[in-house]
């Protein structure tokens, strides 16, 4: 029920912040978004759009007088505009198709729009007509002749996300039929399933558009070869590939304010989605390319530039946090300027910045700071009332010597009802990714405070493969899923028990999702002695079947030495949980969403079948309407209630009289 702040955008004069606020409609079982404004100098935030409109993605007009955003009209996502001073919002597009995302030109006279279309259609109406015809057809089958047949949680219907441009009239409304700029690109702009407007941009003069795309062809599921393209905004020429020399991932173009350079992020190893994203610069006059901050051993995310062009800003994982960094363009020096948790959004103005920040005890709120991250001042306090009477567990990071003698970090969270001298049951959480990390954040699916609030202590280890500790550490997990990471978990558990005496070693359960779910199945067979119970959410149970049934094949193949299951069967069997079912003994709760196409449902069904066939106490929680994540409010409550009940059932203190009897 927490109100979720996101997507902050500074007004051109730097005085106001537009942002999105998600509030839970518990009866409707979904979140509803609205656009709000907050003054940089303080004061109560003001709602700009009504909750019923379900508006999102606020962006300022060039003159700062209005705010653009997305909202549905008659079930179709359209572009809207509202006066920053208030008043009724007005619709400015009437497309037959959903507007996925948008970006206005610097002068506000043109707008980039992303639509899902059939690429052989010349008009948006053509795509809608074809969809209507399919809907009317009584036959439901689809014939595929290439992958993807499905991606994340959606079956492919042949459409591609494509980038269009449209003129904006004097009345502020989008005029005429949008023109497709990405024509000839057999790929998605922006990328699916999580692409956004950070993947395309106008040049400062509005004459050129830059975007990233991966050519689909027949190799899309095993290729990470995204490239940056440039195309005239008037559509007078075809897109030109600016990064054809790099067969790995290039993305997130950012033209410099002076129009002389193009910044972007690039990886170096084809097929590896968790490679380090380095920051690169292209001299648009000479074509020379240069890496900015080549010695900074972190993987950058989407960039923003300071007004004077001397600094680039980005966020990344760093030693259990997700701070904001400032990169000096001239020297490549990286400075951590806003930390103490996770920065999950930011915007930069001429004199200051706004950051969306969270940590273990606080959901996201907005803060302002100067361009060096100094003078951090909280602007919003949306959940203050809800947080007032909530007791949180105290988190503590610790380090220990892990696999290969490397330093490994983890954290422990005390139960909310902690009292010195008592021992407490433990929730041992294993993160997913696997190239991810358990950081100081306020997560809405795997939040350690939900267990602390139930009377559990929490232990989490950022094992080899985790992000925020250098690329070599991240690389270490590939080809070694059940090796060094498991050793880290064992050594981390021992270190936690040694240093935090309130942990009850005899009442602990292990739980994890995705890779963490794989590890839950893996330890069920190879390291089950410490655990009273196990929880595996959307995990890999059979590595070989995963190699044939997942959609983004580049990931699974890279993790097995770049080979398919038929090229190197032994690589897939080396750390395959299905081969150790005979050793299972701990009670196990299996959770799986039916719309999870990353790790398909049958993985969970097979694991539950194995437990039942072995006679091991087990439950299967099935969500027919969830993907890799549990997102619907009532499903989230059911998930937590089921998991908490399972943990309590198997970690409960036995009644001494009953035991004696």
């Amino acid at each position: 029920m927490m109100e979720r702040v996101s997507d902050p955008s500074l007004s051109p004069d730097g005085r106001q912040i537009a942002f999105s606020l998600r509030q839970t409609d518990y009866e409707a079982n979904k979140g509803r978004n609205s656009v709000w404004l907050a003054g940089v100098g303080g004061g109560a935030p003001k709602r700009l759009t009504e909750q019923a409109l379900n508006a999102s993605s606020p962006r300022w007009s060039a003159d700062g007088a209005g705010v653009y955003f997305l909202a549905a009209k008659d079930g179709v996502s359209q572009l809207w505009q509202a006066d920053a001073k208030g008043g009724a919002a007005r619709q400015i597009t009437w497309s037959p198709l959903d507007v996925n995302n948008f970006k206005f030109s610097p002068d506000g006279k043109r707008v980039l729009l992303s639509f899902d279309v059939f690429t052989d259609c010349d008009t948006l109406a053509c795509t809608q007509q074809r969809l209507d015809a399919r809907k009317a057809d009584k036959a439901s089958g689809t014939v595929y002749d290439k992958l993807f047949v499905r991606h994340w949680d959606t079956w492919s219907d042949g459409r591609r996300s494509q980038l269009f441009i449209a003129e904006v009239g004097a009345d502020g409304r989008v005029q005429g039929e949008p023109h497709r700029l990405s024509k000839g690109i057999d790929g998605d702009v922006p990328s699916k399933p999580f692409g956004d407007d950070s993947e395309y941009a106008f040049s400062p003069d509005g004459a050129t558009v830059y975007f990233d795309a991966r050519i689909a062809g027949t190799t899309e599921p095993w290729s990470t070869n995204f490239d940056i393209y440039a195309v005239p905004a008037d559509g007078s020429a075809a897109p030109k590939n600016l990064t054809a020399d790099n067969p790995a991932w290039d993305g997130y173009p950012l033209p410099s304010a002076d129009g002389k350079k193009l910044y972007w992020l690039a990886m170096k190893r084809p097929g590896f989605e968790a490679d380090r994203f380095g920051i690169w610069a292209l001299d648009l006059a000479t074509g020379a390319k240069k890496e900015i901050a080549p010695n900074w051993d972190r993987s950058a995310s989407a960039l923003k530039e300071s007004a004077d062009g001397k600094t680039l800003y980005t966020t990344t994982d760093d030693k259990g946090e997700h701070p904001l960094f400032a990169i000096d363009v001239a020297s490549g020096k990286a400075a951590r300027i806003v930390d103490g948790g996770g920065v999950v959004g930011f915007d930069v103005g001429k004199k200051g910045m706004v950051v969306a920040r969270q940590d273990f005890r606080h959901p996201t709120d907005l803060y302002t700071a100067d361009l060096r991250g100094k003078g951090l001042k909280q602007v919003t306090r949306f959940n203050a009332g809800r947080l007032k009477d909530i007791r949180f567990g105290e988190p503590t990071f610790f380090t220990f010597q892990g696999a290969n003698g490397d330093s490994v970090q983890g954290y422990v969270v005390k139960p909310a009802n902690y009292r010195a001298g008592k021992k407490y049951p433990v929730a041992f959480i294993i993160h997913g990714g696997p190239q991810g990390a358990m950081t100081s954040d306020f997560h809405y699916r795997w939040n350690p405070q939900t267990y602390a609030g139930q009377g559990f202590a929490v232990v989490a280890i950022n094992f080899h493969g985790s992000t925020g500790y250098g690329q070599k550490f991240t690389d270490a997990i590939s080809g070694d899923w059940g090796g060094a990471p498991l050793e880290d978990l064992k050594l981390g558990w021992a270190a936690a028990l040694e240093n935090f005496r309130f942990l009850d070693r005899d009442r602990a359960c292990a739980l994890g999702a995705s890779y963490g779910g794989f590890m839950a199945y893996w330890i069920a067979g190879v390291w089950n002695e410490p655990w009273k119970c196990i929880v595996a959410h959307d995990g890999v149970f059979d590595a070989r079947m995963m190699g044939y049934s997942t959609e983004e094949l580049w990931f699974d193949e890279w993790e097995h030495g770049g080979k398919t299951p038929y090229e190197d069967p032994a690589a897939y069997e080396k750390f395959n949980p299905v081969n150790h079912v005979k050793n299972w003994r701990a009670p196990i709760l299996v959770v799986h969403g039916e719309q999870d196409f990353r790790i398909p449902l049958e993985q969970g069904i097979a694991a539950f079948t194995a437990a039942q066939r072995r006679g091991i106490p087990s439950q299967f929680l099935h969500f027919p309407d969830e993907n890799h994540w549990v997102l619907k409010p009532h499903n989230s409550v059911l998930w937590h209630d089921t998991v908490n009940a399972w943990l309590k059932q198997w970690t409960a203190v036995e009644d001494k009289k009953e035991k004696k009897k």
Side-chain angles (χ1 to χ4, degrees), residues 534-560:
I534 291 172
V535 179
H537 175 106
D538 288 32
V540 177
F541 172 67
D542 186 342
R544 182 173 64 170
M545 188 58 186
M546 173 70 175
Y548 287 115
S549 58
T550 190
E551 9 83 283
E552 292 184 352
L553 297 177
W554 65 73
F555 166 76
D556 209 48
E557 290 175 11
W558 180 274
E559 295 304 302
H560 293 91

PDB file of all heavy atoms in Angstrom, residues 534-560:
ATOM      1  N   ILE A 534      12.896 -24.767   2.690  1.00  0.00           N
ATOM      2  CA  ILE A 534      13.391 -24.083   1.500  1.00  0.00           C
ATOM      3  C   ILE A 534      12.204 -23.470   0.769  1.00  0.00           C
ATOM      4  O   ILE A 534      11.113 -24.045   0.737  1.00  0.00           O
ATOM      5  CB  ILE A 534      14.153 -25.065   0.581  1.00  0.00           C
ATOM      6  CG1 ILE A 534      15.469 -25.499   1.253  1.00  0.00           C
ATOM      7  CG2 ILE A 534      14.419 -24.469  -0.794  1.00  0.00           C
ATOM      8  CD1 ILE A 534      16.190 -26.608   0.523  1.00  0.00           C
ATOM      9  N   VAL A 535      12.425 -22.296   0.184  1.00  0.00           N
ATOM     10  CA  VAL A 535      11.434 -21.651  -0.685  1.00  0.00           C
ATOM     11  C   VAL A 535      12.122 -21.349  -2.006  1.00  0.00           C
ATOM     12  O   VAL A 535      13.161 -20.676  -2.036  1.00  0.00           O
ATOM     13  CB  VAL A 535      10.887 -20.347  -0.080  1.00  0.00           C
ATOM     14  CG1 VAL A 535       9.886 -19.697  -1.033  1.00  0.00           C
ATOM     15  CG2 VAL A 535      10.248 -20.604   1.283  1.00  0.00           C
ATOM     16  N   ALA A 536      11.561 -21.844  -3.103  1.00  0.00           N
ATOM     17  CA  ALA A 536      12.124 -21.618  -4.437  1.00  0.00           C
ATOM     18  C   ALA A 536      11.072 -20.948  -5.308  1.00  0.00           C
ATOM     19  O   ALA A 536      10.028 -21.541  -5.599  1.00  0.00           O
ATOM     20  CB  ALA A 536      12.573 -22.936  -5.060  1.00  0.00           C
ATOM     21  N   HIS A 537      11.354 -19.720  -5.724  1.00  0.00           N
ATOM     22  CA  HIS A 537      10.423 -18.958  -6.556  1.00  0.00           C
ATOM     23  C   HIS A 537      10.979 -18.861  -7.976  1.00  0.00           C
ATOM     24  O   HIS A 537      12.072 -18.339  -8.190  1.00  0.00           O
ATOM     25  CB  HIS A 537      10.227 -17.552  -5.972  1.00  0.00           C
ATOM     26  CG  HIS A 537       9.373 -16.659  -6.814  1.00  0.00           C
ATOM     27  ND1 HIS A 537       8.078 -16.322  -6.470  1.00  0.00           N
ATOM     28  CD2 HIS A 537       9.601 -16.031  -7.997  1.00  0.00           C
ATOM     29  CE1 HIS A 537       7.569 -15.528  -7.394  1.00  0.00           C
ATOM     30  NE2 HIS A 537       8.484 -15.338  -8.338  1.00  0.00           N
ATOM     31  N   ASP A 538      10.213 -19.342  -8.953  1.00  0.00           N
ATOM     32  CA  ASP A 538      10.564 -19.226 -10.370  1.00  0.00           C
ATOM     33  C   ASP A 538      12.034 -19.544 -10.618  1.00  0.00           C
ATOM     34  O   ASP A 538      12.763 -18.793 -11.278  1.00  0.00           O
ATOM     35  CB  ASP A 538      10.238 -17.820 -10.881  1.00  0.00           C
ATOM     36  CG  ASP A 538       8.733 -17.592 -11.026  1.00  0.00           C
ATOM     37  OD1 ASP A 538       7.978 -18.178 -10.245  1.00  0.00           O
ATOM     38  OD2 ASP A 538       8.322 -16.824 -11.911  1.00  0.00           O
ATOM     39  N   GLY A 539      12.465 -20.688 -10.105  1.00  0.00           N
ATOM     40  CA  GLY A 539      13.866 -21.083 -10.221  1.00  0.00           C
ATOM     41  C   GLY A 539      14.085 -22.131 -11.297  1.00  0.00           C
ATOM     42  O   GLY A 539      13.150 -22.779 -11.780  1.00  0.00           O
ATOM     43  N   VAL A 540      15.356 -22.305 -11.670  1.00  0.00           N
ATOM     44  CA  VAL A 540      15.747 -23.317 -12.647  1.00  0.00           C
ATOM     45  C   VAL A 540      15.924 -24.646 -11.927  1.00  0.00           C
ATOM     46  O   VAL A 540      16.797 -24.782 -11.065  1.00  0.00           O
ATOM     47  CB  VAL A 540      17.054 -22.918 -13.361  1.00  0.00           C
ATOM     48  CG1 VAL A 540      17.479 -24.022 -14.332  1.00  0.00           C
ATOM     49  CG2 VAL A 540      16.893 -21.596 -14.085  1.00  0.00           C
ATOM     50  N   PHE A 541      15.101 -25.625 -12.290  1.00  0.00           N
ATOM     51  CA  PHE A 541      15.175 -26.955 -11.699  1.00  0.00           C
ATOM     52  C   PHE A 541      15.943 -27.915 -12.603  1.00  0.00           C
ATOM     53  O   PHE A 541      16.695 -28.762 -12.131  1.00  0.00           O
ATOM     54  CB  PHE A 541      13.767 -27.483 -11.440  1.00  0.00           C
ATOM     55  CG  PHE A 541      13.699 -28.917 -11.009  1.00  0.00           C
ATOM     56  CD1 PHE A 541      14.205 -29.307  -9.779  1.00  0.00           C
ATOM     57  CD2 PHE A 541      13.131 -29.889 -11.832  1.00  0.00           C
ATOM     58  CE1 PHE A 541      14.150 -30.642  -9.371  1.00  0.00           C
ATOM     59  CE2 PHE A 541      13.064 -31.209 -11.435  1.00  0.00           C
ATOM     60  CZ  PHE A 541      13.577 -31.593 -10.210  1.00  0.00           C
ATOM     61  N   ASP A 542      15.762 -27.790 -13.917  1.00  0.00           N
ATOM     62  CA  ASP A 542      16.441 -28.653 -14.883  1.00  0.00           C
ATOM     63  C   ASP A 542      17.181 -27.762 -15.877  1.00  0.00           C
ATOM     64  O   ASP A 542      16.567 -27.134 -16.744  1.00  0.00           O
ATOM     65  CB  ASP A 542      15.430 -29.537 -15.609  1.00  0.00           C
ATOM     66  CG  ASP A 542      16.082 -30.564 -16.525  1.00  0.00           C
ATOM     67  OD1 ASP A 542      17.268 -30.386 -16.873  1.00  0.00           O
ATOM     68  OD2 ASP A 542      15.410 -31.546 -16.909  1.00  0.00           O
ATOM     69  N   ALA A 543      18.502 -27.706 -15.750  1.00  0.00           N
ATOM     70  CA  ALA A 543      19.307 -26.791 -16.559  1.00  0.00           C
ATOM     71  C   ALA A 543      19.230 -27.106 -18.045  1.00  0.00           C
ATOM     72  O   ALA A 543      19.249 -26.201 -18.886  1.00  0.00           O
ATOM     73  CB  ALA A 543      20.759 -26.830 -16.088  1.00  0.00           C
ATOM     74  N   ARG A 544      19.147 -28.388 -18.381  1.00  0.00           N
ATOM     75  CA  ARG A 544      19.095 -28.736 -19.807  1.00  0.00           C
ATOM     76  C   ARG A 544      17.783 -28.261 -20.428  1.00  0.00           C
ATOM     77  O   ARG A 544      17.773 -27.653 -21.504  1.00  0.00           O
ATOM     78  CB  ARG A 544      19.258 -30.246 -20.006  1.00  0.00           C
ATOM     79  CG  ARG A 544      19.252 -30.640 -21.477  1.00  0.00           C
ATOM     80  CD  ARG A 544      19.591 -32.095 -21.685  1.00  0.00           C
ATOM     81  NE  ARG A 544      18.602 -32.990 -21.102  1.00  0.00           N
ATOM     82  CZ  ARG A 544      18.558 -34.302 -21.314  1.00  0.00           C
ATOM     83  NH1 ARG A 544      19.486 -34.871 -22.080  1.00  0.00           N
ATOM     84  NH2 ARG A 544      17.644 -35.051 -20.750  1.00  0.00           N
ATOM     85  N   MET A 545      16.664 -28.495 -19.747  1.00  0.00           N
ATOM     86  CA  MET A 545      15.380 -28.048 -20.279  1.00  0.00           C
ATOM     87  C   MET A 545      15.312 -26.527 -20.331  1.00  0.00           C
ATOM     88  O   MET A 545      14.724 -25.948 -21.249  1.00  0.00           O
ATOM     89  CB  MET A 545      14.234 -28.593 -19.423  1.00  0.00           C
ATOM     90  CG  MET A 545      12.857 -28.325 -20.030  1.00  0.00           C
ATOM     91  SD  MET A 545      12.706 -29.024 -21.687  1.00  0.00           S
ATOM     92  CE  MET A 545      11.112 -28.402 -22.175  1.00  0.00           C
ATOM     93  N   MET A 546      15.946 -25.863 -19.367  1.00  0.00           N
ATOM     94  CA  MET A 546      16.008 -24.408 -19.382  1.00  0.00           C
ATOM     95  C   MET A 546      16.658 -23.913 -20.670  1.00  0.00           C
ATOM     96  O   MET A 546      16.213 -22.947 -21.290  1.00  0.00           O
ATOM     97  CB  MET A 546      16.794 -23.917 -18.161  1.00  0.00           C
ATOM     98  CG  MET A 546      17.082 -22.436 -18.134  1.00  0.00           C
ATOM     99  SD  MET A 546      15.633 -21.410 -17.856  1.00  0.00           S
ATOM    100  CE  MET A 546      16.450 -19.800 -17.753  1.00  0.00           C
ATOM    101  N   GLY A 547      17.714 -24.596 -21.112  1.00  0.00           N
ATOM    102  CA  GLY A 547      18.427 -24.196 -22.314  1.00  0.00           C
ATOM    103  C   GLY A 547      17.594 -24.268 -23.569  1.00  0.00           C
ATOM    104  O   GLY A 547      17.887 -23.573 -24.553  1.00  0.00           O
ATOM    105  N   TYR A 548      16.549 -25.083 -23.554  1.00  0.00           N
ATOM    106  CA  TYR A 548      15.687 -25.219 -24.724  1.00  0.00           C
ATOM    107  C   TYR A 548      14.369 -24.453 -24.604  1.00  0.00           C
ATOM    108  O   TYR A 548      13.666 -24.275 -25.602  1.00  0.00           O
ATOM    109  CB  TYR A 548      15.370 -26.696 -24.973  1.00  0.00           C
ATOM    110  CG  TYR A 548      16.521 -27.496 -25.532  1.00  0.00           C
ATOM    111  CD1 TYR A 548      17.100 -28.527 -24.799  1.00  0.00           C
ATOM    112  CD2 TYR A 548      17.036 -27.220 -26.798  1.00  0.00           C
ATOM    113  CE1 TYR A 548      18.153 -29.277 -25.314  1.00  0.00           C
ATOM    114  CE2 TYR A 548      18.086 -27.959 -27.318  1.00  0.00           C
ATOM    115  CZ  TYR A 548      18.639 -28.993 -26.573  1.00  0.00           C
ATOM    116  OH  TYR A 548      19.684 -29.727 -27.087  1.00  0.00           O
ATOM    117  N   SER A 549      14.014 -24.009 -23.406  1.00  0.00           N
ATOM    118  CA  SER A 549      12.684 -23.429 -23.210  1.00  0.00           C
ATOM    119  C   SER A 549      12.687 -21.953 -22.846  1.00  0.00           C
ATOM    120  O   SER A 549      11.660 -21.280 -22.974  1.00  0.00           O
ATOM    121  CB  SER A 549      11.923 -24.204 -22.128  1.00  0.00           C
ATOM    122  OG  SER A 549      12.629 -24.194 -20.895  1.00  0.00           O
ATOM    123  N   THR A 550      13.814 -21.415 -22.375  1.00  0.00           N
ATOM    124  CA  THR A 550      13.863 -19.991 -22.084  1.00  0.00           C
ATOM    125  C   THR A 550      13.869 -19.216 -23.395  1.00  0.00           C
ATOM    126  O   THR A 550      14.108 -19.790 -24.470  1.00  0.00           O
ATOM    127  CB  THR A 550      15.099 -19.647 -21.232  1.00  0.00           C
ATOM    128  OG1 THR A 550      14.997 -18.311 -20.762  1.00  0.00           O
ATOM    129  CG2 THR A 550      16.388 -19.792 -22.033  1.00  0.00           C
ATOM    130  N   GLU A 551      13.627 -17.880 -23.325  1.00  0.00           N
ATOM    131  CA  GLU A 551      13.524 -17.124 -24.577  1.00  0.00           C
ATOM    132  C   GLU A 551      14.826 -16.409 -24.921  1.00  0.00           C
ATOM    133  O   GLU A 551      15.275 -16.456 -26.054  1.00  0.00           O
ATOM    134  CB  GLU A 551      12.355 -16.121 -24.558  1.00  0.00           C
ATOM    135  CG  GLU A 551      11.661 -15.924 -23.220  1.00  0.00           C
ATOM    136  CD  GLU A 551      12.423 -14.944 -22.366  1.00  0.00           C
ATOM    137  OE1 GLU A 551      13.455 -15.332 -21.808  1.00  0.00           O
ATOM    138  OE2 GLU A 551      11.986 -13.789 -22.237  1.00  0.00           O
ATOM    139  N   GLU A 552      15.454 -15.741 -23.960  1.00  0.00           N
ATOM    140  CA  GLU A 552      16.697 -15.027 -24.237  1.00  0.00           C
ATOM    141  C   GLU A 552      17.869 -16.013 -24.141  1.00  0.00           C
ATOM    142  O   GLU A 552      18.539 -16.132 -23.117  1.00  0.00           O
ATOM    143  CB  GLU A 552      16.858 -13.850 -23.277  1.00  0.00           C
ATOM    144  CG  GLU A 552      15.823 -12.753 -23.523  1.00  0.00           C
ATOM    145  CD  GLU A 552      16.020 -11.522 -22.656  1.00  0.00           C
ATOM    146  OE1 GLU A 552      16.873 -11.567 -21.734  1.00  0.00           O
ATOM    147  OE2 GLU A 552      15.331 -10.515 -22.893  1.00  0.00           O
ATOM    148  N   LEU A 553      18.103 -16.698 -25.245  1.00  0.00           N
ATOM    149  CA  LEU A 553      19.086 -17.773 -25.252  1.00  0.00           C
ATOM    150  C   LEU A 553      20.505 -17.277 -25.010  1.00  0.00           C
ATOM    151  O   LEU A 553      21.354 -18.027 -24.524  1.00  0.00           O
ATOM    152  CB  LEU A 553      19.023 -18.528 -26.587  1.00  0.00           C
ATOM    153  CG  LEU A 553      17.704 -19.234 -26.893  1.00  0.00           C
ATOM    154  CD1 LEU A 553      17.761 -19.873 -28.275  1.00  0.00           C
ATOM    155  CD2 LEU A 553      17.385 -20.290 -25.841  1.00  0.00           C
ATOM    156  N   TRP A 554      20.757 -15.982 -25.365  1.00  0.00           N
ATOM    157  CA  TRP A 554      22.114 -15.473 -25.160  1.00  0.00           C
ATOM    158  C   TRP A 554      22.552 -15.620 -23.709  1.00  0.00           C
ATOM    159  O   TRP A 554      23.709 -15.915 -23.429  1.00  0.00           O
ATOM    160  CB  TRP A 554      22.218 -14.016 -25.613  1.00  0.00           C
ATOM    161  CG  TRP A 554      21.403 -13.026 -24.818  1.00  0.00           C
ATOM    162  CD1 TRP A 554      21.647 -12.573 -23.556  1.00  0.00           C
ATOM    163  CD2 TRP A 554      20.218 -12.361 -25.250  1.00  0.00           C
ATOM    164  NE1 TRP A 554      20.690 -11.660 -23.170  1.00  0.00           N
ATOM    165  CE2 TRP A 554      19.801 -11.511 -24.188  1.00  0.00           C
ATOM    166  CE3 TRP A 554      19.474 -12.370 -26.426  1.00  0.00           C
ATOM    167  CZ2 TRP A 554      18.669 -10.696 -24.276  1.00  0.00           C
ATOM    168  CZ3 TRP A 554      18.352 -11.564 -26.507  1.00  0.00           C
ATOM    169  CH2 TRP A 554      17.954 -10.740 -25.439  1.00  0.00           C
ATOM    170  N   PHE A 555      21.610 -15.415 -22.790  1.00  0.00           N
ATOM    171  CA  PHE A 555      21.946 -15.488 -21.367  1.00  0.00           C
ATOM    172  C   PHE A 555      22.349 -16.900 -20.978  1.00  0.00           C
ATOM    173  O   PHE A 555      23.428 -17.131 -20.420  1.00  0.00           O
ATOM    174  CB  PHE A 555      20.764 -15.021 -20.516  1.00  0.00           C
ATOM    175  CG  PHE A 555      20.909 -15.372 -19.066  1.00  0.00           C
ATOM    176  CD1 PHE A 555      21.772 -14.661 -18.248  1.00  0.00           C
ATOM    177  CD2 PHE A 555      20.209 -16.440 -18.523  1.00  0.00           C
ATOM    178  CE1 PHE A 555      21.929 -15.009 -16.912  1.00  0.00           C
ATOM    179  CE2 PHE A 555      20.356 -16.789 -17.197  1.00  0.00           C
ATOM    180  CZ  PHE A 555      21.215 -16.067 -16.382  1.00  0.00           C
ATOM    181  N   ASP A 556      21.490 -17.863 -21.261  1.00  0.00           N
ATOM    182  CA  ASP A 556      21.750 -19.223 -20.801  1.00  0.00           C
ATOM    183  C   ASP A 556      22.974 -19.816 -21.493  1.00  0.00           C
ATOM    184  O   ASP A 556      23.751 -20.544 -20.867  1.00  0.00           O
ATOM    185  CB  ASP A 556      20.511 -20.095 -21.055  1.00  0.00           C
ATOM    186  CG  ASP A 556      20.401 -21.218 -20.043  1.00  0.00           C
ATOM    187  OD1 ASP A 556      20.526 -20.945 -18.842  1.00  0.00           O
ATOM    188  OD2 ASP A 556      20.199 -22.372 -20.462  1.00  0.00           O
ATOM    189  N   GLU A 557      23.159 -19.492 -22.754  1.00  0.00           N
ATOM    190  CA  GLU A 557      24.307 -20.047 -23.462  1.00  0.00           C
ATOM    191  C   GLU A 557      25.617 -19.440 -22.957  1.00  0.00           C
ATOM    192  O   GLU A 557      26.616 -20.143 -22.802  1.00  0.00           O
ATOM    193  CB  GLU A 557      24.131 -19.839 -24.969  1.00  0.00           C
ATOM    194  CG  GLU A 557      23.011 -20.720 -25.523  1.00  0.00           C
ATOM    195  CD  GLU A 557      22.705 -20.474 -26.987  1.00  0.00           C
ATOM    196  OE1 GLU A 557      23.487 -19.760 -27.660  1.00  0.00           O
ATOM    197  OE2 GLU A 557      21.681 -20.989 -27.471  1.00  0.00           O
ATOM    198  N   TRP A 558      25.627 -18.127 -22.691  1.00  0.00           N
ATOM    199  CA  TRP A 558      26.843 -17.528 -22.133  1.00  0.00           C
ATOM    200  C   TRP A 558      27.202 -18.174 -20.802  1.00  0.00           C
ATOM    201  O   TRP A 558      28.372 -18.454 -20.524  1.00  0.00           O
ATOM    202  CB  TRP A 558      26.669 -16.023 -21.938  1.00  0.00           C
ATOM    203  CG  TRP A 558      27.906 -15.398 -21.367  1.00  0.00           C
ATOM    204  CD1 TRP A 558      28.250 -15.284 -20.038  1.00  0.00           C
ATOM    205  CD2 TRP A 558      29.007 -14.866 -22.101  1.00  0.00           C
ATOM    206  NE1 TRP A 558      29.494 -14.698 -19.907  1.00  0.00           N
ATOM    207  CE2 TRP A 558      29.980 -14.424 -21.152  1.00  0.00           C
ATOM    208  CE3 TRP A 558      29.267 -14.696 -23.465  1.00  0.00           C
ATOM    209  CZ2 TRP A 558      31.184 -13.846 -21.539  1.00  0.00           C
ATOM    210  CZ3 TRP A 558      30.469 -14.106 -23.843  1.00  0.00           C
ATOM    211  CH2 TRP A 558      31.407 -13.697 -22.887  1.00  0.00           C
ATOM    212  N   GLU A 559      26.196 -18.421 -19.980  1.00  0.00           N
ATOM    213  CA  GLU A 559      26.443 -18.985 -18.653  1.00  0.00           C
ATOM    214  C   GLU A 559      26.941 -20.427 -18.720  1.00  0.00           C
ATOM    215  O   GLU A 559      27.392 -20.976 -17.711  1.00  0.00           O
ATOM    216  CB  GLU A 559      25.173 -18.912 -17.806  1.00  0.00           C
ATOM    217  CG  GLU A 559      24.720 -17.490 -17.491  1.00  0.00           C
ATOM    218  CD  GLU A 559      25.806 -16.674 -16.802  1.00  0.00           C
ATOM    219  OE1 GLU A 559      26.274 -17.092 -15.737  1.00  0.00           O
ATOM    220  OE2 GLU A 559      26.196 -15.621 -17.347  1.00  0.00           O
ATOM    221  N   HIS A 560      26.864 -21.033 -19.898  1.00  0.00           N
ATOM    222  CA  HIS A 560      27.376 -22.392 -20.081  1.00  0.00           C
ATOM    223  C   HIS A 560      28.479 -22.410 -21.132  1.00  0.00           C
ATOM    224  O   HIS A 560      28.551 -23.299 -21.990  1.00  0.00           O
ATOM    225  CB  HIS A 560      26.239 -23.342 -20.469  1.00  0.00           C
ATOM    226  CG  HIS A 560      25.238 -23.546 -19.382  1.00  0.00           C
ATOM    227  ND1 HIS A 560      24.111 -22.752 -19.241  1.00  0.00           N
ATOM    228  CD2 HIS A 560      25.199 -24.428 -18.345  1.00  0.00           C
ATOM    229  CE1 HIS A 560      23.422 -23.142 -18.181  1.00  0.00           C
ATOM    230  NE2 HIS A 560      24.057 -24.153 -17.617  1.00  0.00           N
TER     231      HIS A 560
END
